[in-house]
Amino acid sequence: MNVRDFKNKVYGELASITKALANPHRLEIIELLAQGPSSVEYIADQTALSIANASQHLQTLKGARLVATEKRGKYRYYSLANRHVFEVWNSMRELGLSRNAEVERLIRDFRTSRKAMESVTSGELLNRLEKGSAFVIDVRPRKEYEAGHIESAVSVPHDELIRKLKSLPKDKQIVAYCRGPLCAMAYEAVELLQEKGYRAARLEVGYPEWELKGLAVNVT
Amino acid sequence: MNVRDFKNKVYGELASITKALANPHRLEIIELLAQGPSSVEYIADQTALSIANASQHLQTLKGARLVATEKRGKYRYYSLANRHVFEVWNSMRELGLSRNAEVERLIRDFRTSRKAMESVTSGELLNRLEKGSAFVIDVRPRKEYEAGHIESAVSVPHDELIRKLKSLPKDKQIVAYCRGPLCAMAYEAVELLQEKGYRAARLEVGYPEWELKGLAVNVT
DNA sequence: ACAATAATCAATATAATTATTGAATATATA
DNA sequence: TATATATTCAATAATTATATTGATTATTGT
């Protein structure tokens, strides 16, 4: 094999992985799977895809060995193959945000409020948790909370937030987190809480990034 | 705009960037541009593409704002838009190597020798340079050396290595580096040097990774 | 101004990707 | 065993990506 054939094969292999990621729905699926293993049905529901279409996209990801699957009962659970997949997604998202004012503008414009929102770093949150001065809420759907969450966090899915307001403390700062930097749920939660007179801030990362730093407790 | 439209736009933007990367030739171009700015002609030559085809791929990368261009005289120089592009490429390559025995096997099989090859980390090289116990050679094409190289390195393009053997020291270890982990030039150089009785090892990273760590000296 | 060089553009044929539809295959539960 | 549920498969049409070719534009040097 000559050098050119070798290069063609190596870059071809890498491009086939990249191609498997190069689709809006599959990127969304990757971010969803970063929250924890999910069934096809749940993935289809969360991404607004038909079951058959979601299944096909999952086959594509599986073909590139970006996801692993496990069958339990009549459900088949998909999950990310390894941390490298999440890291590619992370750097991809960083690139998108850096390169493209468009994406950032989209995110900013989507917030109903224009005022800058206070955010808390992972390190700060750890400090406040030790001092007992923060109350952490996980605003993702309950299934994702159950698949893994920040140790002391309470599950308050964003569509249940209004109903559960009374159970939240007014004397502590409430720190909300969700799926990650592209996810709007924590933004919305903080906004609502502030309107209702709570002290609230957003965790600057989502659960997968927190977990990657080895700070997580998994519930099984 | 509702949540679904918002998500479609954000993931669509990110997928359009990913699509721009999802091609073997464009990945090879990214790695080449990580060595420094290059003209279309040079890129076409190094990647074995026709000029027109290389130009089209560069347009695609430019459209996704992954590369920047500058015209000097009759040449147009392309370069990576920012470090995020290189970091995506890096994590992509890591994912490829982790996920795919195939890629790793290709790289291993391509070496003519089967014996494991000693490699030197960046930190070790810095130590040895301070002690004066290493002699560093850059085996990339001279143009890439000229665009930036390790401070004390000497340019010995891999196709000139045999002719330049006599100028290399036998009493020091010779450390060879090239474009990065997928590049075969340093492997081949070390192999040749060892056959000829030199003490030689491969730097475990390429020039772009070294530069990313802020260890580089740029020549302009 | 004229030739030579570097790069891009435009048109085209081929190949690959995608969403949709309906049928098929497992698995659990009654 | 029958039935409902979860997922995959296969076929299709529409869209998008790719390499090639030859023409065109921009720049340099004579």
Side-chain angles (χ1 to χ4, degrees), chain A residues 1-4 6-25 27-28 31 45-48 63-66 81-82 84-85 87-89 91-103 106-111 179 182-184 188, chain B residues 1-4 6-25 27-28 31 45-48 63-66 81-82 84-85 87-89 91-103 106-111 179 182-184 188:
Chain A
M1 184 160 63
N2 64 31
V3 176
R4 180 39 51 193
F6 166 72
K7 286 188 178 175
N8 288 348
K9 282 195 176 149
V10 171
Y11 292 110
E13 281 292 326
L14 292 176
S16 75
I17 302 175
T18 316
K19 272 189 217 292
L21 287 170
N23 173 281
H25 303 304
L27 287 179
E28 189 173 359
E31 196 189 31
D45 177 57
Q46 291 292 316
T47 56
R65 283 180 269 180
L66 298 174
N82 58 42
H84 295 289
V85 179
E87 276 162 7
V88 167
W89 157 247
S91 61
M92 211 75 225
R93 191 195 59 223
E94 289 292 316
L95 171 59
L97 293 177
S98 82
R99 171 223 79 134
N100 197 340
E102 184 64 16
V103 176
L106 277 168
I107 295 175
R108 202 170 45 246
D109 286 4
F110 192 63
R111 317 287 162 233
R179 290 172 179 162
L182 296 183
C183 175
E188 291 170 348
Chain B
M1 184 159 66
N2 64 31
V3 176
R4 182 38 51 194
F6 166 73
K7 286 187 179 174
N8 288 347
K9 282 195 175 150
V10 171
Y11 293 109
E13 281 292 325
L14 292 175
S16 74
I17 301 176
T18 316
K19 272 188 217 290
L21 288 170
N23 173 280
H25 302 304
L27 287 179
E28 188 173 359
E31 196 189 30
D45 177 57
Q46 291 293 316
T47 56
R65 283 181 270 180
L66 298 174
N82 59 41
H84 295 289
V85 179
E87 275 161 9
V88 166
W89 157 247
S91 60
M92 211 75 226
R93 190 194 59 222
E94 290 292 316
L95 170 59
L97 294 177
S98 83
R99 171 223 79 133
N100 197 339
E102 185 63 16
V103 175
L106 276 169
I107 295 175
R108 203 171 45 246
D109 287 3
F110 191 63
R111 318 287 161 234
R179 291 173 179 162
L182 296 183
C183 176
E188 291 171 346

